[in-house]
C-alpha cells in the first residue's frame, strides 16, 4: 500500500519537523512497512532522519535545475535534501493556479528523465461525473494522453475534483468502477484521493484495484495520518 499526505499550504518548518518525528516513531513502533509519502510545503523541505519507507516529496517544482523562474524551485533546491519524489498535475494546480497541460507534460518528462517517483494526479469535474462512467473514464484517460504511463516510477492518483477538499467522498462503487476502468490499461499503482479520512480509509483501501490513498485535509493531524498508515498495514 502507498499512503500519501499532501500538506498543501499548511504546516510550518517547525510543525513539519514535529509531524515527521511523531510519524516516524509511530511507524517504527508499529512495524509499518507500507510506503509512506509526505509532501510538505517547499519552505519546509529539509533533511529528515526517517525510516526508509517514509519519503519526502515536493508538491511542485519547475522543470529546470536552476534559473530565472521567480517563485519556483528546481532540482538544485530538491537535491540539497535528496528529494526524488514529486507530485504533478494536482487539480488545485490545474484549476486554481491555471497550470496548463503543456507545463504538466514538460514537468513530467523532465522529472521522468531524472528518475523521480512521480505521483501524477487525474480526476474529473462534477459535470463529467454526472454524465456517466464512460465519460469519466474518457476524461481521465485524456489527462494521461501525453504522458508515458509505462514509466516504472509512476504512481497515478485518481482524485475526482468535486471530492477534493469538499468533504464529499466518491462512493465505493464510483471509486471501484473508475479504478477498474483505469486498471485495464494502466500497470502503475492507482491511488484514490478526495476527502479520505480515518473513518473511510479501510473500506477504500479494500477496493480491488486501489493501491493506496492520497490524503489532504485529514492527513494534517499526525494522529489521524498515523492511524491511516496503521489501517493500511493491517490489510
Ligand atoms: C488532495 O489534496 O490531494 C486531497 C485529496 O485533498 P483532500 O483529502 O482534502 O480532499
Amino acid at each position: 500500500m502507498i499512503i500519501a499526505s499532501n500538506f498543501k499550504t499548511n504546516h510550518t518548518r517547525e510543525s513539519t519537523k514535529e509531524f515527521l518525528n511523531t510519524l516516524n516513531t509511530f511507524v517504527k513502533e508499529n512495524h509499518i512497512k507500507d510506503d509512506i509519502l509526505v509532501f510538505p510545503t517547499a519552505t519546509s523541505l529539509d533533511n529528515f532522519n526517517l525510516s526508509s519507507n517514509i519519503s519526502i516529496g515536493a508538491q511542485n517544482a519547475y522543470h529546470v535545475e536552476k534559473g530565472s523562474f521567480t517563485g519556483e524551485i528546481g532540482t538544485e533546491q530538491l537535491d540539497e535534501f535528496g528529494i526524488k519524489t514529486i507530485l504533478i498535475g494536482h487539480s488545485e494546480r490545474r484549476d486554481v493556479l491555471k497550470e496548463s497541460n503543456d507545463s504538466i507534460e514538460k514537468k513530467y518528462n523532465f522529472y521522468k528523465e531524472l528518475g523521480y517517483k512521480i505521483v501524477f494526479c487525474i480526476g474529473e469535474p462534477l459535470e463529467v461525473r454526472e454524465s456517466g462512467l464512460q465519460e469519466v473514464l474518457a476524461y481521465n484517460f485524456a489527462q494521461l494522453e501525453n504522458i508515458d504511463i509505462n514509466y516504472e516510477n509512476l504512481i497515478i492518483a485518481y482524485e475526482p475534483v468535486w471530492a477534493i477538499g469538499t468533504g464529499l467522498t466518491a462512493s465505493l462503487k464510483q471509486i471501484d468502477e473508475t479504478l477498474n476502468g483505469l486498471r485495464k490499461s494502466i500497470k502503475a499503482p492507482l491511488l484514490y484521493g478526495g476527502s479520505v479520512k480515518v473513518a473511510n480509509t479501510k473500506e477504500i483501501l479494500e477496493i480491488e484495484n486501489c493501491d493506496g490513498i492520497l490524503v489532504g485535509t485529514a492527513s494534517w493531524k499526525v494522529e489521524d495520518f498515523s492511524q491511516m498508515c496503521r489501517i493500511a498495514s493491517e490489510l
Side-chain angles (χ1 to χ4, degrees):
M1 289 284 172
I2 300 167
I3 310 299
S5 165
N6 175 14
F7 279 17
K8 312 195 192 197
T9 318
N10 296 279
H11 279 298
T12 60
R13 282 179 74 75
E14 203 49 43
S15 67
T16 298
K17 213 187 307 165
E18 277 167 33
F19 181 106
L20 289 168
N21 282 339
T22 308
L23 176 67
N24 194 47
T25 305
F26 185 88
V27 163
K28 277 197 201 149
E29 285 176 359
N30 290 277
H31 310 289
I32 296 173
K33 300 278 177 266
D34 301 77
D35 284 334
I36 299 172
L37 309 177
V38 179
F39 296 90
T41 64
T43 57
S44 302
L45 297 178
D46 209 338
N47 281 308
F48 300 100
N49 189 13
L50 301 170
S51 299
S52 58
N53 59 324
I54 306 179
S55 305
I56 300 298
Q59 289 178 26
N60 176 51
Y62 205 54
H63 46 88
V64 287
E65 179 197 354
K66 59 183 177 175
S68 299
F69 305 98
T70 304
E72 295 284 341
I73 57 171
T75 55
E76 184 175 70
Q77 289 74 39
L78 298 176
D79 287 348
E80 186 178 11
F81 307 121
I83 289 167
K84 288 284 175 206
T85 303
I86 186 165
L87 199 59
I88 297 181
H90 192 281
S91 70
E92 285 156 9
R93 292 209 58 85
R94 292 178 193 262
D95 300 341
V96 183
L97 298 157
K98 306 293 173 214
E99 191 162 282
S100 66
N101 285 335
D102 182 52
S103 161
I104 289 170
E105 283 162 36
K106 282 191 177 123
K107 275 184 194 177
Y108 186 84
N109 291 331
F110 181 81
Y111 285 98
K112 178 191 147 195
E113 279 308 304
L114 294 173
Y116 274 59
K117 184 177 279 184
I118 299 177
V119 178
F120 190 83
C121 302
I122 55 174
E124 78 287 350
L126 190 56
E127 62 274 19
V128 175
R129 172 51 72 181
E130 284 170 346
S131 316
L133 181 62
Q134 290 323 310
E135 285 74 10
V136 167
L137 289 173
Y139 189 96
N140 280 282
F141 275 118
Q143 288 186 317
L144 295 168
E145 224 162 58
N146 295 320
I147 69 153
D148 173 11
I149 57 168
N150 295 317
Y151 173 45
E152 57 187 2
N153 289 328
L154 169 63
I155 296 167
I156 292 176
Y158 165 59
E159 300 204 301
V161 177
W162 49 274
I164 296 181
T166 57
L168 288 176
T169 315
S171 69
L172 296 177
K173 183 168 179 282
Q174 287 171 326
I175 302 172
D176 183 42
E177 287 175 345
T178 311
L179 295 184
N180 273 344
L182 293 170
R183 174 60 74 223
K184 293 200 170 88
S185 321
I186 295 170
K187 292 193 295 279
L190 297 173
L191 311 186
Y192 169 75
S195 299
V196 177
K197 39 193 174 286
V198 177
N200 59 18
T201 294
K202 183 167 185 285
E203 58 192 23
I204 291 173
L205 289 175
E206 281 174 343
I207 291 172
E208 192 186 354
N209 283 305
C210 184
D211 302 305
I213 45 177
L214 173 56
V215 192
T217 316
S219 72
W220 303 335
K221 270 196 193 157
V222 69
E223 294 76 19
D224 287 358
F225 187 62
S226 300
Q227 286 310 314
M228 293 178 195
C229 296
R230 182 189 55 75
I231 291 167
S233 75
E234 288 170 356
L235 291 176

